[in-house]
Amino acid sequence: MPCPALPEGFDFTDPDVYRSRVPLPEFAQLRQTAPVWWNAQPHGIAGFDDDGYWVVTRHQDVKEVSTKPEVFSANVNTSIIRFNASMTREQIDVQKLIMLNMDPPEHTRVRQIVQRGFTPRSIRALEDALRRRAGHIVAQARENGSGDFVTDVACELPLQAIAELIGIPQDDRARIFDWSNKMVAYDDPELAITEEVGSNAAMELISYAMNLAAARKECPAKDIVSQLVAAEDEGNLGSDEFGFFVLLLAVAGNETTRNAITHGMHAFLTHPGQWELYKRERPATAAEEIVRWATPVVSFQRTATQDTELGGARIKKGQRVGIFYSSANNDPEVFDHPEVFDITRDPNPHLGFGGGGPHFCLGKSLAVLEINLIFQAIADAMPDISLAGDPRRLRSAWLNGVKELQVRYG
Ligand code: HEM
């Protein structure tokens, strides 16, 4: 179905579009005129042997796709909506070793195991250490007077949180951080990270994690690695499975939280009334609104396992279906004035952490904790922080990323 408002060739996964903005007006057009819309693409441009994908824009439809894994598979073509056209099918299929790209029952097995590391108790156990880290990060930034908020503040806590969670020894953290940073964002030529550097970093991280798992298996300690890998036959992870899990954490937990924090800071600085309110009242609802506002993951995809119907569109078996969280989070059917940044918004049924199915973000509580801790630390130690430049956006097909935000720490 053509959408009259969109220019010929417009693609909701074109990384160049996201270099300047998230296409919110175009999503609004689709929600009104063709809520499930076929986005044609030049053959194979996304790395798949096809000519396009469905764009799912309404909140209710994103939820429906997310909660029906038997109809909408995360495994057939993975959850990643766009790879480089040069990727081989073999390279894409390797990604199926991470749980984000598995379907039940395999996904259920892995999820049940790794969930042990993310219980409310394990997350609470990190709180004091992360609060100290947040205070330290903010104090250091303040000493600089001014600088790039992304590198000075937003990057560090998510990296530390994952390292803390897995129990990575302090001496190894710099290496882990370096690999994690290299793995993301190879779509952006300015970062000068080639695909080869990115995949080498991924291999090094996996092999580090596998070695860590093997060591803990041999000699268990009181940490989560030992819990996840000891006694494989009792329903635990093998060393290789653990390696891919750490890889997923490094991607899923870093870039997302870092961008939520950066977009949140930018939103506060461009909505001074909300910043004053935050400093005064610190409402518990703020973190969820920051994630809705930021929607760091613009989209993931599923593949139809059978002919089906969604939002008035007839989807054929084998076709790819893009679930656009950015659109769902701005759906006026669900949110009053979604264009307003309101840290007291309640209820706030946003889909920034996913549409509620089996893949719903495993790290949600950790992410919310990190966001709360960093903004509390900023409000305490540099309440007069101000903007010193416009955000510079990341070139990416599916992440709402900011790579630089100059501020004065005050
Ligand atoms: C603001 C920060 C974050 C956002 C916006 C976010 C968003 C998401 C989204 C959209 C999904 C996919 C949901 C679906 O397909 O239904 C997801 C999955 C996942 N996230 Fe997060 N995430 C964040 C932080 C984290 C953190 C801190 C961690 C861990 C340290 C984490 C670990 C994961 C994992 C392991 C999955 C895959 C779960 C599965 O396949 O079962 N995320 N996240």
Side-chain angles (χ1 to χ4, degrees):
M1 189 186 328
C3 179
L6 294 177
E8 181 75 22
F10 189 86
D11 184 345
F12 282 95
T13 63
D14 178 354
D16 281 324
V17 168
Y18 296 90
R19 204 200 276 267
S20 58
R21 67 198 178 92
V22 177
L24 295 181
E26 288 83 353
F27 285 136
Q29 278 285 342
L30 286 192
R31 282 194 306 270
Q32 278 173 11
T33 57
V36 179
W37 179 70
W38 179 254
N39 200 152
Q41 289 179 312
H43 188 90
I45 196 168
F48 305 102
D49 182 20
D50 63 21
D51 307 296
Y53 61 97
W54 293 97
V55 182
V56 179
T57 56
R58 287 192 309 201
H59 189 277
Q60 68 180 69
D61 294 334
V62 170
K63 270 173 74 174
E64 181 167 344
V65 173
S66 306
T67 48
K68 285 189 172 164
E70 64 291 354
V71 183
F72 298 103
S73 161
N75 183 252
V76 174
N77 284 308
T78 77
S79 294
I80 304 299
I81 197 157
R82 183 157 173 161
F83 290 102
N84 281 344
S86 60
M87 289 274 271
T88 61
R89 185 68 215 192
E90 215 180 358
Q91 286 170 317
I92 292 177
D93 283 344
V94 172
Q95 319 264 341
K96 294 181 177 177
L97 294 167
I98 63 174
M99 67 190 287
L100 184 67
N101 304 321
M102 290 176 187
D103 284 336
E106 199 186 359
H107 173 264
T108 320
R109 180 187 75 84
V110 176
R111 175 105 184 184
Q112 268 167 1
I113 298 170
V114 297
Q115 233 153 240
R116 291 181 211 154
F118 287 82
T119 58
R121 201 161 139 228
S122 0
I123 303 303
R124 262 200 314 277
L126 300 177
E127 189 166 339
D128 287 344
L130 292 182
R131 178 172 288 111
R132 278 196 299 278
R133 290 267 172 209
H136 183 68
I137 291 165
V138 168
Q140 274 217 315
R142 231 184 93 130
E143 272 180 24
N144 299 343
S146 64
D148 173 20
F149 182 84
V150 178
T151 43
D152 293 346
V153 181
C155 284
E156 187 73 8
L157 195 61
L159 285 163
Q160 290 288 357
I162 294 167
E164 211 55 66
L165 182 81
I166 317 178
I168 307 246
Q170 280 297 342
D171 287 353
D172 293 345
R173 290 193 183 181
R175 273 192 300 159
I176 300 283
F177 294 177
D178 184 45
W179 291 327
S180 302
N181 284 329
K182 281 186 178 144
M183 263 168 6
V184 289
Y186 56 74
D187 260 346
D188 194 322
E190 201 191 279
L191 297 179
I193 292 170
T194 61
E195 226 178 298
E196 197 189 339
V197 172
S199 62
N200 284 346
M203 292 314 296
E204 289 186 90
L205 180 64
I206 291 175
S207 107
Y208 171 88
M210 283 169 67
N211 285 336
L212 186 67
R216 290 293 187 278
K217 223 181 243 186
E218 189 101 319
C219 184
K222 274 194 168 167
D223 60 19
I224 165 148
V225 189
S226 310
Q227 252 186 52
L228 296 183
V229 302
E232 231 166 283
D233 46 337
E234 284 168 29
N236 287 342
L237 297 183
S239 302
D240 49 345
E241 284 181 311
F242 181 76
F244 280 95
F245 178 57
V246 171
L247 179 77
L248 173 61
L249 291 187
V251 180
N254 273 321
E255 190 81 355
T256 49
T257 318
R258 159 192 315 186
N259 280 304
I261 293 170
T262 305
H263 283 295
M265 193 71 254
H266 186 252
F268 276 131
L269 296 178
T270 50
H271 300 76
Q274 292 290 302
W275 185 226
E276 290 309 315
L277 175 67
Y278 182 80
K279 286 188 283 187
R280 221 173 36 241
E281 294 178 17
R282 319 267 170 116
T285 45
E288 295 283 358
E289 176 67 350
I290 288 171
V291 175
R292 183 193 73 87
W293 184 259
T295 315
V297 180
V298 174
S299 64
F300 274 137
Q301 75 168 4
R302 302 290 188 261
T303 300
T305 58
Q306 58 192 66
D307 291 356
T308 186
E309 209 177 308
L310 182 77
R314 285 174 180 281
I315 296 172
K316 291 213 179 73
K317 179 178 175 179
Q319 286 182 328
R320 292 186 295 122
V321 176
I323 34 182
F324 284 80
Y325 307 118
S326 298
S327 179
N329 283 349
N330 284 281
D331 188 341
E333 290 285 320
V334 177
F335 302 99
D336 280 342
H337 295 291
E339 73 289 354
V340 174
F341 177 58
D342 173 7
I343 56 168
T344 61
R345 192 183 287 279
D346 189 19
N348 191 345
H350 71 82
L351 307 185
F353 290 114
H359 293 280
F360 186 77
C361 180
L362 184 64
K364 178 191 162 167
S365 327
L366 181 58
V368 167
L369 176 67
E370 290 175 47
I371 294 168
N372 282 331
L373 292 177
I374 202 78
F375 282 107
Q376 283 165 15
I378 295 169
D380 287 342
M382 43 196 197
D384 298 327
I385 182 169
S386 62
L387 269 183
D390 288 331
R392 289 207 315 119
R393 293 182 52 86
L394 184 73
R395 181 181 184 274
S396 167
W398 56 281
L399 278 171
N400 180 19
V402 170
K403 57 187 171 189
E404 187 184 345
L405 179 68
Q406 288 294 331
V407 297
R408 283 176 290 269
Y409 295 113

